[in-house]
Amino acid sequence: MSEDRSKDDNDIEIDFGAGARMQRERSAPSLSSSSSSLREPLLLTRRTNNTSQLAIVGANVCPIESLDYEIIENDLFKQDWRSRTKTEIFQYIFCKWTLALLIGLSTGLVGIFNNIAVENLAGFKLLLTNNLMLKDKYYQAFVAYAGCNMVLATAAAALCAYIAPAAAGSGIPEVKAYLNGVDAHSILAPSTLFVKIFGSIFGVAAGFVVGKEGPMVHTGACVASLLGQGGSRKYRLTWKWLRYFKNDRDRRDLITCGAAAGVAAAFRAPVGGVLFALEEAASWWRSALLWRTFFTTAVVAVVLRGFMVFCRGGKCGLFGEGGLIMFDVNSAKPTYSVPDLLAVIFLGVIGGIFGSLYNYLVDKVLRTYSIINERGPSLKVLLVITISLLTSCCSYGLPWLSRCIPCPAHLEDQCPTVGRTGNYKNFQCPPHHYNDLASLFMNTNDDAIRNLFSSGSVKEFQLSTLIVFFAAIYFLGIITYGIAVPSGLFIPVILAGASYGRLLGNLLGSLSDLDVGFFALLGAASFLGGTMRMTVSLCVILLELTNDLLMLPLVMLVLLISKTVADCFNKGVYDQIVKMKGLPYMEAHAEPYMRHLVASDVVSGPLVTFSGVEKVGNILHALKITRHNGFPVINEPPFSDAPELCGLVLRSHLLVLLKGKKFARQRVMTGTEMMSRFKAHDFAKAGSGKGVKLEDIDIKEDEMEMYVDLHPITNTSPYTVVETMSLAKAAVLFREVGLRHLLVVPKTPGRPPIVGILTRHDFMMEHILGLYPHFNPHK
């Protein structure tokens, strides 16, 4: 794979006959000469990026390219649109809704499978440890606990390191970049889906401070990508209806539905899933997509509810209601006093500070781990085993610091709790006593959150317990994210936030009438807002999790405050990871420094163009020595009175055309014959990496001197901007329309009809600073 255009400024003009033209000289604008101390993407510290856009996927540095979201209006596709009957249009609409249904069903089933597997694996491990401790076999209990964790962690790491490195992490940054137009290698491949599912199960069951919720977003996107491949010749799935989806625009919509379905499956929050896709994941949105996304998440909710009812009878092993998150936090008092509001404001400030610090430390840890991970799969596995041992020592060792507490009198729940779930774990305590710190550590993450959110006596968890648990989860979450296992950030952040929220609730017990469980929820909301910088979607997800609309005003307030405070220090965690990996993400707004530049200031050469009827040898030579994915087509006499821009032709379309070998010996237009020889679906985008490659082209020596008519496959209505347009305005147009190529045309007549091409890479700060090293972008 390659970037849209080659970016080496040292390239010289390349002569491809009548079609070749050289980029005009650039003159640097009079800007500030102060050097900028910007944070570079992680990959730029390891290799120079001067020929193509590179990014880190998993632990590998690989070239990437953009996606073709723009509608290609050439003669072949226009003929296909005109020839579509009402039946075919109905088939297309029916297939879109059918695929949305299948995405919802598949993602819901995967979510159910994940929960059943995690609950049973983790439940078996915890029951084994608990039974050994009841027999006073404490050393054997630790060996069993740490050994089970290590086996599960090694399995997850081996899957990630050797089969699909792209499955490591949460996957949300990569999905976000894909929906922005970045085609990163292997992020939606079937192997990535397989490893994401099983690696997430093993990693969460291994006791890591990670969640399965973040990976579910990536899983939903992978499921949608697999279903939206448009058929497969290899597996004989060549049904005509499936051809409608062989384009990036429809796949983008399906993957948006998949990301929303992943959130719905993870949190049982269908509306929150739609809002997550709208606020955080998708870069382009429209009302038709809103309906389909909502339909998909509704299907997920129905599937989850059906299986929950089925599993309540004990038919799913150790699986119970704990596997699918639902936290019943009921605020008995719907009114709030001034001290309550002051406490909520304080929580928001604390969450913003802790969240921004969390993002800063995660960034440093990821940069450190990248040095280890790039040395090979074996070191990745070794790092995972090391973190697993550290986590096991903390989870098993820290509860020994907590004193035993007598069970409360007249308690309806079992105390101490002998099984997997509950607030009153016995651990090393005598009968009728419990260890509150063990109730948090020696549980699944979902049950630990439920314990923190539970309402009741303020003495249920001691202040020292909440402080120790917060410190441990905070730093374990930081050092765990970045190892070679699928890992989400939602659950670690909720755990840490809930612990300091409940701590504040205990401290303010005499001043506030709000329940300590409600304080835990507000703490979790503040930390989520401080790390992820989302507001609307997080608010709705938390309300759907807790099933209490009376909390809405305070949850909104704490999210707004925490996000505002954290934005003063750094960006959201997913934005930081996108930047660090080198993914060329286009922001919704243009940077202020772009207003000092014009479009012609950043285009780079050489500019390679073709004539409307071009020699086969020239095209093949251009494809071999360049990585360009788009070539301007210039009509020249005798096909026009003067040189004029005909449009843009894609590299993938040229490869299909050359493989079809519909050539002519004379330089004449043969569009009518070509349109009878080719159909629009011949040029449709194939599935993952299965298109025509340059190595597949076999051109004989005599065919090199023949001609081919490019008019039928040339997009005659590409987006163009005048060379004097500000770069800020061009960036907004590029992002809002979802372009891959933006043609820059001259302002004055009498010059060649095109000045250059702007691609995604031209808007990146690293590229601009490479052209103008003395430019200070902060002024």
Side-chain angles (χ1 to χ4, degrees):
M1 298 171 69
S2 62
E3 171 56 7
D4 302 290
R5 295 167 44 248
S6 179
K7 301 297 178 188
D8 194 344
D9 289 330
N10 298 320
D11 286 345
I12 60 173
E13 181 176 359
I14 305 174
D15 185 10
F16 296 128
R21 291 178 177 81
M22 181 60 184
Q23 178 74 36
R24 69 175 180 83
E25 295 289 332
R26 293 187 306 269
S27 59
S30 57
L31 299 169
S32 172
S33 60
S34 302
S35 60
S36 170
S37 58
L38 297 171
R39 292 170 55 203
E40 293 182 332
L42 185 61
L43 60 92
L44 293 183
T45 64
R46 296 187 288 179
R47 64 173 68 184
T48 303
N49 177 12
N50 62 352
T51 57
S52 66
Q53 182 65 47
L54 303 175
I56 298 175
V57 180
N60 303 321
V61 177
C62 59
I64 62 173
E65 61 183 25
S66 297
L67 295 164
D68 294 300
Y69 289 154
E70 182 185 359
I71 295 177
I72 305 298
E73 292 186 349
N74 58 35
D75 293 341
L76 275 171
F77 282 88
K78 288 178 182 177
Q79 183 186 51
D80 180 62
W81 295 335
R82 288 192 296 264
S83 63
R84 285 191 183 181
T85 63
K86 289 184 178 180
T87 302
E88 290 176 323
I89 295 173
F90 171 78
Q91 290 173 353
Y92 171 63
I93 296 173
F94 177 79
C95 281
K96 286 200 295 187
W97 286 94
T98 302
L99 286 175
L101 172 66
L102 292 176
I103 292 169
L105 288 172
S106 303
T107 308
L109 291 173
V110 170
I112 288 289
F113 174 72
N114 275 11
N115 283 286
I116 292 176
V118 168
E119 288 289 311
N120 282 280
L121 288 173
F124 171 80
K125 174 190 69 178
L126 293 171
L127 282 175
L128 175 63
T129 305
N130 185 68
N131 290 336
L132 289 171
M133 295 195 74
L134 290 175
K135 300 175 183 178
D136 296 335
K137 298 180 179 180
Y138 299 121
Y139 292 108
Q140 293 94 322
F142 173 72
V143 171
Y145 180 73
C148 290
N149 284 345
M150 189 183 300
V151 170
L152 293 169
T154 304
L159 287 173
C160 262
Y162 292 100
I163 298 179
S170 71
I172 292 178
E174 287 81 0
V175 173
K176 183 176 178 179
Y178 183 93
L179 294 177
N180 189 258
V182 179
D183 190 9
H185 183 63
S186 296
I187 64 169
L188 300 175
S191 59
T192 304
L193 173 62
F194 173 81
V195 174
K196 203 73 179 183
I197 295 173
F198 290 94
S200 177
I201 291 171
F202 295 147
V204 175
F208 283 122
V209 184
V210 298
K212 57 184 179 294
E213 286 69 25
M216 273 303 301
V217 176
H218 194 180
T219 300
C222 289
V223 169
S225 176
L226 187 62
L227 292 174
Q229 289 294 304
S232 170
R233 293 181 180 177
K234 179 179 179 181
Y235 298 105
R236 306 194 177 204
L237 298 174
T238 55
W239 195 22
K240 182 180 178 181
W241 289 17
L242 296 175
R243 294 176 183 171
Y244 299 139
F245 299 94
K246 285 185 174 291
N247 63 83
D248 287 329
R249 288 176 66 89
D250 284 318
R251 289 175 187 167
R252 175 188 69 191
D253 291 349
L254 292 174
I255 289 168
T256 303
C257 293
V263 175
F267 293 106
R268 269 180 57 196
V271 179
V274 175
L275 292 175
F276 176 86
L278 171 62
E279 182 179 6
E280 182 66 15
S283 295
W284 296 281
W285 199 265
R286 61 185 190 279
S287 59
L289 181 59
L290 177 66
W291 278 100
R292 260 188 292 152
T293 308
F294 186 69
F295 171 70
T296 305
T297 57
V299 172
V300 173
V302 171
V303 171
L304 295 182
R305 174 59 63 181
F307 270 84
M308 283 188 65
V309 173
F310 174 78
C311 289
R312 274 180 188 161
K315 300 176 182 177
C316 302
L318 294 171
F319 177 81
E321 290 187 49
L324 284 166
I325 301 178
M326 192 66 180
F327 307 120
D328 292 320
V329 182
N330 294 312
S331 176
K333 189 173 182 296
T335 58
Y336 320 114
S337 61
V338 173
D340 296 335
L341 293 176
L342 292 177
V344 169
I345 293 172
F346 180 70
L347 261 180
V349 173
I350 293 297
I353 295 173
F354 278 144
S356 58
L357 178 62
Y358 193 89
N359 292 358
Y360 173 80
L361 294 175
V362 164
D363 181 84
K364 297 301 180 185
V365 168
L366 286 175
R367 292 174 182 273
T368 304
Y369 284 173
S370 68
I371 301 173
I372 301 173
N373 290 337
E374 69 179 355
R375 296 180 183 273
S378 57
L379 281 182
K380 290 185 191 179
V381 176
L382 184 61
L383 176 62
V384 172
I385 293 174
T386 303
I387 300 298
S388 175
L389 281 174
L390 178 61
T391 304
S392 298
C393 290
C394 289
S395 300
Y396 189 85
L398 290 177
W400 291 89
L401 303 176
S402 179
R403 65 181 178 87
C404 295
I405 304 173
C407 288
H410 308 293
L411 189 67
E412 294 182 0
D413 295 337
Q414 182 187 27
C415 182
T417 306
V418 178
R420 171 183 56 84
T421 315
N423 294 12
Y424 306 100
K425 289 290 185 180
N426 179 260
F427 205 63
Q428 90 289 10
C429 295
H432 306 297
H433 289 70
Y434 72 97
N435 186 315
D436 56 347
L437 194 52
S439 301
L440 299 176
F441 276 118
M442 302 300 289
N443 247 330
T444 60
N445 291 335
D446 293 347
D447 289 331
I449 295 173
R450 185 172 289 100
N451 291 344
L452 288 169
F453 282 1
S454 63
S455 59
S457 172
V458 294
K459 295 181 180 179
E460 187 177 334
F461 294 100
Q462 304 172 85
L463 296 181
S464 59
T465 293
L466 295 172
I467 293 173
V468 170
F469 185 73
F470 167 71
I473 292 298
Y474 191 89
F475 290 103
L476 283 176
I478 290 170
I479 65 172
T480 304
Y481 193 81
I483 61 176
V485 296
S487 53
L489 284 171
F490 276 98
I491 293 302
V493 168
I494 291 175
L495 279 170
S499 57
Y500 74 71
R502 193 175 183 100
L503 174 64
L504 182 63
N506 286 343
L507 293 174
L508 298 178
S510 60
L511 301 176
S512 174
D513 294 328
L514 296 179
D515 188 81
V516 288
F518 189 24
F519 270 107
L521 172 68
L522 292 176
S526 69
F527 203 2
L528 284 168
T531 53
M532 301 178 184
R533 314 297 162 81
M534 294 180 284
T535 52
V536 180
S537 56
L538 280 179
C539 184
V540 174
I541 287 172
L542 289 173
L543 290 178
E544 289 185 283
L545 281 178
T546 54
N547 198 25
D548 191 351
L549 282 173
L550 295 176
M551 306 174 189
L552 178 61
L554 294 185
V555 173
M556 291 175 64
L557 178 62
V558 78
L559 282 170
L560 287 171
I561 294 173
S562 61
K563 181 187 185 313
T564 303
V565 171
D567 281 339
C568 297
F569 299 99
N570 50 31
K571 290 186 175 182
V573 63
Y574 297 134
D575 294 324
Q576 284 189 175
I577 295 172
V578 166
K579 176 74 173 177
M580 185 181 60
K581 286 177 172 286
L583 296 166
Y585 186 85
M586 293 288 294
E587 297 289 350
H589 59 277
E591 297 295 337
Y593 69 87
M594 290 184 176
R595 302 190 183 281
H596 300 286
L597 298 168
V598 296
S600 60
D601 288 329
V602 297
V603 291
S604 52
L607 176 63
V608 180
T609 66
F610 293 128
S611 296
V613 180
E614 187 60 85
K615 186 177 289 187
V616 173
N618 290 344
I619 297 175
L620 191 62
H621 183 58
L623 295 178
K624 284 182 178 179
I625 68 172
T626 69
R627 295 181 176 182
H628 302 191
N629 281 291
F631 300 89
V633 176
I634 308 291
N635 269 338
E636 296 179 329
F639 305 110
S640 62
D641 296 333
E644 63 180 16
L645 179 64
C646 177
L648 185 79
V649 63
L650 296 180
R651 181 188 191 92
S652 58
H653 292 180
L654 288 172
L655 291 172
V656 174
L657 191 63
L658 291 180
K659 189 174 183 180
K661 293 191 175 185
K662 195 64 178 179
F663 306 144
R665 298 196 175 275
Q666 303 297 325
R667 193 164 180 249
V668 294
M669 296 178 66
T670 58
T672 304
E673 298 177 14
M674 283 185 56
M675 291 178 69
S676 62
R677 166 67 172 80
F678 292 100
K679 301 298 180 184
H681 61 78
D682 295 328
F683 296 89
K685 186 162 186 177
S688 305
K690 298 181 177 66
V692 179
K693 303 291 192 300
L694 186 60
E695 298 77 26
D696 302 331
I697 307 298
D698 182 23
I699 303 294
K700 303 294 189 296
E701 190 67 31
D702 60 326
E703 293 173 331
M704 299 285 281
E705 298 300 318
M706 301 177 72
Y707 292 90
V708 59
D709 187 3
L710 302 182
H711 290 97
I713 63 169
T714 299
N715 180 10
T716 55
S717 58
Y719 284 88
T720 61
V721 297
V722 68
E723 61 183 334
T724 54
M725 176 182 282
S726 72
L727 191 62
K729 198 172 181 180
V732 171
L733 173 66
F734 192 95
R735 202 256 192 192
E736 291 298 323
V737 182
L739 300 179
R740 185 177 186 178
H741 305 95
L742 183 60
L743 277 58
V744 181
V745 297
K747 184 179 181 180
T748 56
R751 295 168 53 194
I754 182 168
V755 173
I757 302 178
L758 289 173
T759 63
R760 179 178 297 268
H761 180 57
D762 292 309
F763 296 101
M764 297 297 108
M765 187 178 294
E766 294 76 27
H767 171 67
I768 296 173
L769 291 179
L771 297 176
Y772 308 103
H774 302 297
F775 176 37
N776 184 358
H778 297 299
K779 292 188 176 180

